[in-house]
Amino acid sequence: MYVLACLSYIVAAVFWSGAATDDVLSKHRFPKDFLFGVASSAYQVEGGRNVNGNGENIWDYFTKTKPEKFHNSSNGDVACDSINKFREDVKLVKNLGVDFYRFSVSWSRVLPEGYSNNINKDGLRYYNDLINELIANGIEPMITMYHYDLPLPLHQIGGWTNPYLAYYFEDYARILFSYFGDRVKHWITFNGGCAGYGEDGFAPFLNQPGIANYICNQVLVLAHAKAYHLYDREFRMLQKGKVGVTLEGNWYEPGSFAVEDIEAAERAREFKLGVYANPIYHPEGNFPKAVRERVDNISRQEGYLRSRLPTFSAEEVEYVQGTYDFLGLNCYTTFLVKDAEEDVSEKTSSDKDIRIKMYQDKQWHKAKSSWLRVYPDGMRKMLKWVKDKYDDPEIIITENGYSDNGELVDIERIKYYQKYLSAILEAIHEDEVNVRGYTAWSLMDNFEWIMGYSEKFGLYHVNFSDPNRKRTAKKSVDWYKKVIRERRVVEIKEVSSRLKGDL
Ligand SMILES: *[C@@H]1O[C@H](CO)[C@@H](O)[C@H](O)[C@H]1NC(C)=O
Ligand SMILES: *[C@@H]1O[C@H](CO)[C@@H](O)[C@H](O)[C@H]1NC(C)=O
Ligand SMILES: *[C@@H]1O[C@H](CO)[C@@H](O)[C@H](O)[C@H]1NC(C)=O
């Protein structure tokens, strides 16, 4: 997982007096056809980065050239060694009793240079074996086509600021649909957005806020649309799958009842989620109007001869709008938002464009990750907001989870899941949000981007000192299994006497 949270904005919550959600679990049940899953991503778990035929991606490159950016200078060269242990991984997935496994394909493992002329047979074989092993065990494969790991040669031509990336992504999509689409029925084109383009906390560390992130934003959206149309034109009739995108769906809550703070929170939602969701999911398409207006205005004030926010032509608006079968949301936490002073002298940044102060309530229970505090009501509110704003799309929660130090008795993780799953049940039954599936992040402890191996989200523990990368079930595995079996949020004490003993 990854959340773009600028720590300097997290200040004490003086204005917030609302009570956090109580601990009452939802009494509702998950619908019969509701799908449960668990997730991982290629660079975070696979390892096998130096095997023959595998190309270099931006994480290979930056963990070597800028090791100081990563906790303990760590990298994903071995990670969980899933490249060798995938059959064991499938056993772990099967043990959970989930319906699907969401994993990502490493672009540079399939196309070493990123381009379609050179296909790595070993890469194809790996994903074919993984897909077949899942299906043989009754688990549906759900593929993320791109989870932050751009092939290095594509980065060298500008990465997602180069409009031609949309074409190269379409070629890559064609190869995935062609080789795997007979068995894969859920495709997620992209995970999240343009991390690393507007800040320094993520590869490719471009750090050109207010410029690079907006260009990347447009190219990603166009690339997604190209892949969707390709599927429609050439694959859908035979393969009968679904194509969607996964967006960062954290909630932005007003820090007070003041009108300007309520507006500031809405502005945050539009700038964080709306810039990706609006072009694809909103009936009118295009960037959100409020974003368009603010960035145009501020660009003018700053002396730019054109807006820093790229424009979609009328043809592109139409081409992109409606290119979805479902919406994937990664939701972990909530941020409080207050209106900030306009400061014309500040230098260009998207924070200046948004003009907010973002923080969290110190009373909300904190996970290991600095940005992750527990506020499940945010999940319910986000789901309702998405339903109302984007014409009631089919939603799959593609990530939700809790970080700690890797404890085997992970009671706080279970409590987190209880509350967030309760919030989802309320959204389904009380707010009639069309949530069709839920994905726990993550299957196992893994390489957590710049945080290296210091924050653990896994249901299974991985011993990273052990060359064999031994996996061990945490308590949350027992709990999640029972939830899936009984299709309701179960109490901790219902799980097992073993667990009670540990409490
Ligand atoms: C943009 O500028 C126009 C003209 O100065 C102004 O009327 C409008 O309120 C501004 N919009 C925003 C969102 O700042
Ligand atoms: C980071 O390095 C220190 C010193 O070698 C070590 O004690 C610690 O366990 C490492 N942390 C992680 C998360 O790998
Ligand atoms: C992890 O593996 C190392 C090396 O095999 C071993 O010494 C250590 O005891 C293991 N740790 C745990 C918690 O099992």
Side-chain angles (χ1 to χ4, degrees):
M1 102 68 21
Y2 173 72
V3 168
L4 218 124
C6 181
L7 283 188
S8 61
Y9 280 92
I10 300 178
V11 296
V14 252
F15 293 89
W16 184 253
S17 56
T21 315
D22 55 38
D23 288 344
V24 179
L25 305 185
S26 175
K27 294 282 177 277
H28 289 296
R29 281 175 176 270
F30 291 97
K32 274 201 180 57
D33 55 355
F34 190 86
L35 301 173
F36 285 99
V38 67
S40 71
S41 94
Y43 189 79
Q44 293 179 275
V45 300
E46 284 179 358
R49 298 304 309 159
N50 302 319
V51 299
N52 271 347
N54 184 36
E56 207 177 355
N57 70 31
I58 56 173
W59 294 91
D60 296 316
Y61 178 76
F62 286 109
T63 52
K64 305 291 179 301
T65 55
K66 295 180 188 249
E68 71 282 0
K69 298 234 178 249
F70 298 85
H71 185 273
N72 270 13
S73 303
S74 46
N75 61 53
D77 285 1
V78 180
C80 306
D81 197 24
S82 288
I83 201 79
N84 294 307
K85 296 174 73 75
F86 72 90
R87 286 183 209 279
E88 190 182 331
D89 291 349
V90 173
K91 286 203 181 87
L92 306 183
V93 175
K94 180 169 189 174
N95 177 46
L96 286 167
V98 291
D99 301 290
F100 66 89
Y101 179 40
R102 175 185 174 224
F103 62 95
S104 79
V105 171
S106 165
W107 190 337
S108 60
R109 195 182 295 288
V110 173
L111 306 178
E113 291 85 31
Y115 304 109
S116 54
N117 61 325
N118 177 17
I119 303 181
N120 173 23
K121 293 282 184 310
D122 284 343
L124 286 184
R125 186 180 310 129
Y126 172 70
Y127 293 111
N128 263 320
D129 287 350
L130 173 56
I131 290 165
N132 292 341
E133 187 77 5
L134 286 166
I135 290 174
N137 283 279
I139 304 152
E140 195 206 322
M142 178 185 288
I143 288 188
T144 312
M145 297 156 84
Y146 178 76
H147 202 120
Y148 301 132
D149 48 352
L150 194 66
L152 187 61
L154 296 178
H155 171 67
Q156 287 164 333
I157 59 167
W160 293 109
T161 64
N162 182 339
Y164 280 90
L165 265 276
Y167 296 92
Y168 291 122
F169 183 76
E170 183 185 10
D171 295 344
Y172 168 55
R174 175 186 295 282
I175 286 160
L176 298 188
F177 295 149
S178 306
Y179 284 97
F180 308 136
D182 55 336
R183 288 152 293 154
V184 175
K185 302 304 164 193
H186 274 96
W187 294 99
I188 295 165
T189 52
F190 288 95
N191 181 78
C194 292
Y197 282 78
E199 24 60 60
D200 200 28
F202 211 73
F205 305 104
L206 272 191
N207 198 18
Q208 286 200 35
I211 298 193
N213 53 309
Y214 294 143
I215 303 173
C216 164
N217 191 151
Q218 188 187 39
V219 178
L220 270 194
V221 162
L222 288 170
H224 158 83
K226 279 197 184 298
Y228 185 89
H229 284 297
L230 170 68
Y231 194 76
D232 256 7
R233 271 195 326 269
E234 299 186 32
F235 297 93
R236 185 184 293 279
M237 223 162 51
L238 267 178
Q239 299 186 348
K240 301 181 171 64
K242 291 184 174 185
V243 180
V245 68
T246 275
L247 302 175
E248 206 180 280
N250 292 313
W251 179 243
Y252 299 90
E253 177 79 10
S256 83
F257 296 113
V259 174
E260 54 270 28
D261 292 341
I262 292 170
E263 284 173 2
E266 183 68 6
R267 212 156 55 233
R269 291 166 211 143
E270 292 285 34
F271 269 90
K272 304 279 185 180
L273 175 70
V275 286
Y276 301 101
N278 218 83
I280 302 168
Y281 293 91
H282 194 278
E284 286 172 24
N286 215 335
F287 285 124
K289 286 198 180 70
V291 174
R292 173 91 268 157
E293 231 182 82
R294 274 198 66 78
V295 183
D296 287 359
N297 271 12
I298 296 169
S299 301
R300 204 178 306 123
Q301 281 170 19
E302 291 170 332
Y304 292 88
L305 294 180
R306 66 181 68 243
S307 177
R308 291 178 277 102
L309 187 69
T311 48
F312 289 105
S313 68
E315 197 186 320
E316 285 170 335
V317 169
E318 196 181 324
Y319 182 77
V320 170
Q321 199 284 325
T323 53
Y324 68 88
D325 302 309
F326 64 92
L327 168 58
L329 282 178
N330 294 347
C331 178
Y332 289 83
T333 195
T334 291
F335 296 98
L336 294 167
V337 173
K338 290 185 66 64
D339 190 44
E341 289 286 309
E342 193 92 65
D343 181 357
V344 189
S345 68
E346 234 179 89
K347 69 182 194 349
T348 297
S349 79
S350 20
D351 287 338
K352 180 182 175 189
D353 294 336
I354 310 175
R355 197 168 52 78
I356 54 168
K357 283 213 183 312
M358 224 170 80
Y359 58 102
Q360 289 176 309
D361 188 332
K362 295 234 159 95
Q363 290 177 32
W364 299 345
H365 178 82
K366 188 170 162 294
K368 181 75 194 290
S369 310
S370 59
W371 50 268
L372 210 181
R373 285 183 188 265
V374 183
Y375 187 71
D377 253 8
M379 171 71 94
R380 181 172 172 185
K381 287 178 177 167
M382 182 49 123
L383 288 170
K384 180 73 163 70
W385 187 84
V386 165
K387 172 192 167 80
D388 294 344
K389 191 102 189 170
Y390 302 125
D391 206 13
D392 200 11
E394 177 176 331
I395 297 171
I396 298 175
I397 304 295
T398 41
E399 287 182 28
N400 174 243
Y402 179 89
S403 60
D404 58 18
N405 288 312
E407 295 86 345
L408 291 176
V409 183
D410 54 343
I411 300 305
E412 292 302 331
R413 174 168 295 105
I414 297 175
K415 286 188 190 163
Y416 175 94
Y417 280 137
Q418 283 181 319
K419 290 175 190 172
Y420 275 78
L421 281 166
S422 287
I424 291 166
L425 279 175
E426 296 301 302
I428 293 172
H429 293 278
E430 304 301 325
D431 305 335
E432 295 178 341
V433 183
N434 190 6
V435 189
R436 299 288 185 87
Y438 173 84
T439 321
W441 182 274
S442 174
L443 174 61
M444 58 193 155
D445 297 340
N446 58 47
F447 178 77
E448 185 51 38
W449 309 116
I450 62 162
M451 297 316 294
Y453 299 96
S454 66
E455 296 177 1
K456 312 287 172 61
F457 282 88
L459 294 168
Y460 290 89
H461 175 274
V462 176
N463 183 346
F464 292 102
S465 321
D466 183 345
N468 198 31
R469 295 298 191 273
K470 186 174 187 301
R471 284 94 156 110
T472 309
K474 300 178 189 176
K475 298 299 179 192
S476 51
V477 166
D478 293 343
W479 180 84
Y480 193 36
K481 280 172 80 159
K482 194 171 172 73
V483 170
I484 296 167
R485 219 167 34 233
E486 305 201 358
R487 313 196 75 75
R488 64 186 176 88
V489 180
V490 301
E491 301 273 1
I492 296 179
K493 61 177 189 282
E494 292 180 71
V495 181
S496 71
S497 51
R498 186 159 62 97
L499 191 52
K500 259 186 279 174
D502 291 324
L503 286 172

